[in-house]
Amino acid sequence: MANDPDKWFHEQIKLLTYNCNQRVWSIIVSLFGDLAGTPGDQISGAALSRITEPMSIKPEAMRVALHRLRNDNWIESQKSGRSSLYTLTDFGLEQSTAARPRIYARSIEHAAEWQLCALAPGAGGPKGKRAKDMRHRGFLAVAPGLFFGPMQAQPLPDSLVFHGQAQNIPQWLKEKIATPEIVKAYGDLEKALDRFAINLLEAPKLPPHQVAALRTIIVHVWRRALLAHAELPDDFFGDDWRAGACRTKVMDVLDRLGRPEPGLL
Amino acid sequence: MANDPDKWFHEQIKLLTYNCNQRVWSIIVSLFGDLAGTPGDQISGAALSRITEPMSIKPEAMRVALHRLRNDNWIESQKSGRSSLYTLTDFGLEQSTAARPRIYARSIEHAAEWQLCALAPGAGGPKGKRAKDMRHRGFLAVAPGLFFGPMQAQPLPDSLVFHGQAQNIPQWLKEKIATPEIVKAYGDLEKALDRFAINLLEAPKLPPHQVAALRTIIVHVWRRALLAHAELPDDFFGDDWRAGACRTKVMDVLDRLGRPEPGLL
């Protein structure tokens, strides 16, 4: 057991915020998804401050982020005496629920069949626009005019559509799917998680808002790493791909931290 | 029954040689494949003349074609008294045997699984050379850098390889696979075959070398049409694709003509 619980807590926050380039509104999205993602869940403005203040998020930055998320119809607030209570809107709940499986699954089951689709070469309209259209339909560009996607995605109607399995993922495609930055992001995350898992063995008893702050940071860096690449079977990535290892370690430390009830924050 | 057997025969030759653009050496290849494709089969120079003369092939053109085919190690000849006897070489027999299934099958069974392969975009070396390499390996170019082929074909090692089934063959690909000229070639062939099938109902008794001449022309135009496109399932072609219908009709008239023994020509 650490001698000074607050010192221990702040050291962990420092360890896990190694990735400083974080936008406040996006952290709030991670926070609500993790701690208040069930219809009816409410978090007070005071609790939001207690959770985010240790991450060095200034009150002014917090107000701007909450304002933006209200404008985007992601969260809504109601006054309760002198304080405000925040909840996800129906839209925010829907987005959060849609993102949850990929973030919280203990392992990802990949489909056996995929689509490989080729756009008409030299067809009318700007090529970039059609490629963007395919990405919006859930496809990943693998080469000029060539797109890989799940079976439920709907390709543009004049595409050559092929259903089956990828047999050989060449190095040039692996490097296109996962840039060195993305590979490094998982490497950094895994290092921090390994360190944190060891530190957790000597964790003091933490108040709920401190548990919430640690969970929020972990879910957030994990979510940002996931959003930087398509969800594909392991053979689409190199041998140094640590997303699967990070998934196991994220779920392990979240289990050990436990999830505080939003009303106790 | 026609009144003048020779007139009937020459009218059929005229009907079936609607496609004038034929090379003599290629006709000889069709002839040997059809009439003397079994080890030991021999055709005399006199028989070759009797068969090709009604197609308006001049003796000089015949000599040049036979010379070329000997140089290419496709056929060989031996003197027998005052005449020459021609046979396919082992190499010629092998090529002929390899081509036979596609030419003479009553129907083509297509594989359930195919390969779709993408070359590395912007990889070293001229793009044309790598595309040519893929064609030599048995692939069909469907879009720039994208190749379709049978499962046994070996793609270039740094390709993205996908195994499965084509689900949607867009119009642009159908037009690339079968140009209007190829579609028209089958249309013309079918018209000639339909006419010839009716005329056969009133056929006189023909000598073996006249049967051989009719067979040679039919096999030859059929073979030229086949060689102009890849052998692919029907859904790779448009609704006006008559290759399957032509196959049935070619086999029907060949059955009705019968095959004369090479020794009787």
Side-chain angles (χ1 to χ4, degrees), chain A residues 113-116 118-121 142-144 146 148 157-170 172-173, chain B residues 113-116 118-121 142-144 146 148 157-170 172-173:
Chain A
E113 277 220 318
W114 296 78
Q115 295 188 90
L116 192 60
L119 296 184
V142 294
L146 191 64
F148 184 81
D158 65 342
S159 305
L160 164 64
V161 179
F162 203 73
H163 289 176
Q165 299 87 35
Q167 294 294 323
N168 181 48
I169 318 290
W172 57 264
L173 183 54
Chain B
E113 276 219 320
W114 297 78
Q115 295 188 91
L116 192 61
L119 297 184
V142 293
L146 191 65
F148 184 81
D158 65 342
S159 305
L160 165 63
V161 180
F162 203 74
H163 288 176
Q165 299 86 35
Q167 294 293 323
N168 181 47
I169 319 291
W172 58 264
L173 183 53

Side-chain angles (χ1 to χ4, degrees), chain A residues 140-199:
Chain A
L140 174 77
V142 294
L146 191 64
F147 297 83
F148 184 81
M151 291 295 279
Q152 67 273 19
Q154 276 292 332
L156 283 170
D158 65 342
S159 305
L160 164 64
V161 179
F162 203 73
H163 289 176
Q165 299 87 35
Q167 294 294 323
N168 181 48
I169 318 290
Q171 194 56 30
W172 57 264
L173 183 54
K174 290 182 179 176
E175 285 169 13
K176 188 178 159 68
I177 292 170
T179 61
E181 292 74 38
I182 300 176
V183 174
K184 184 175 180 301
Y186 279 114
D188 291 345
L189 173 57
E190 188 176 18
K191 256 182 262 168
L193 288 168
D194 285 346
R195 189 73 241 159
F196 180 63
I198 292 168
N199 294 351

Side-chain angles (χ1 to χ4, degrees), chain A residues 5-205:
Chain A
D6 261 5
K7 183 161 174 275
W8 184 94
F9 170 70
H10 286 286
E11 276 171 6
Q12 305 320 306
I13 291 286
K14 199 177 160 200
L15 169 66
L16 295 166
T17 50
Y18 64 91
N19 179 1
C20 295
N21 191 13
Q22 299 178 354
R23 284 183 231 155
V24 179
W25 66 265
S26 181
I27 293 176
I28 306 293
V29 166
S30 301
L31 185 159
F32 270 90
D34 188 56
L35 298 162
T38 306
D41 283 349
Q42 292 182 318
I43 300 186
S44 70
L48 286 178
S49 298
R50 275 195 295 275
I51 297 168
T52 55
E53 186 264 332
M55 303 175 204
S56 309
I57 294 173
K58 300 269 186 308
E60 175 58 20
M62 191 63 187
R63 271 194 296 276
V64 170
L66 289 171
H67 185 74
R68 172 175 173 175
L69 287 168
R70 263 200 305 257
N71 274 355
D72 289 350
N73 189 33
W74 196 286
I75 60 171
E76 57 197 354
S77 64
Q78 57 180 96
K79 284 279 171 194
S80 166
R82 286 177 57 195
S83 74
S84 293
L85 289 173
Y86 293 88
T87 53
L88 286 174
T89 62
D90 287 346
F91 172 76
L93 279 168
E94 200 178 284
Q95 301 293 311
S96 187
T97 302
R100 192 159 296 130
R102 190 173 173 207
I103 299 172
Y104 290 96
R106 296 199 177 249
S107 66
I108 298 276
E109 286 279 318
H110 288 290
E113 277 220 318
W114 296 78
Q115 295 188 90
L116 192 60
C117 303
L119 296 184
K127 207 163 181 173
K129 195 190 160 293
R130 292 188 302 142
K132 197 173 166 187
D133 198 348
M134 287 295 278
R135 286 198 299 275
H136 284 164
R137 288 161 181 255
F139 287 92
L140 174 77
V142 294
L146 191 64
F147 297 83
F148 184 81
M151 291 295 279
Q152 67 273 19
Q154 276 292 332
L156 283 170
D158 65 342
S159 305
L160 164 64
V161 179
F162 203 73
H163 289 176
Q165 299 87 35
Q167 294 294 323
N168 181 48
I169 318 290
Q171 194 56 30
W172 57 264
L173 183 54
K174 290 182 179 176
E175 285 169 13
K176 188 178 159 68
I177 292 170
T179 61
E181 292 74 38
I182 300 176
V183 174
K184 184 175 180 301
Y186 279 114
D188 291 345
L189 173 57
E190 188 176 18
K191 256 182 262 168
L193 288 168
D194 285 346
R195 189 73 241 159
F196 180 63
I198 292 168
N199 294 351
L200 261 185
L201 299 172
E202 305 211 332
K205 174 101 182 96

Side-chain angles (χ1 to χ4, degrees), chain B residues 128-143:
Chain B
K129 195 189 161 294
R130 293 188 301 141
K132 198 173 165 186
D133 198 348
M134 287 294 278
R135 285 197 301 275
H136 283 163
R137 288 162 181 253
F139 287 94
L140 173 78
V142 293

Side-chain angles (χ1 to χ4, degrees), chain B residues 1 13-14 24 33 59 62 95 107 146 182 187 196 221 231 245:
Chain B
M1 185 72 81
I13 292 286
K14 200 177 157 200
V24 179
M62 191 64 188
Q95 301 293 309
S107 66
L146 191 65
I182 299 173
F196 181 63
V221 288
E231 192 57 65

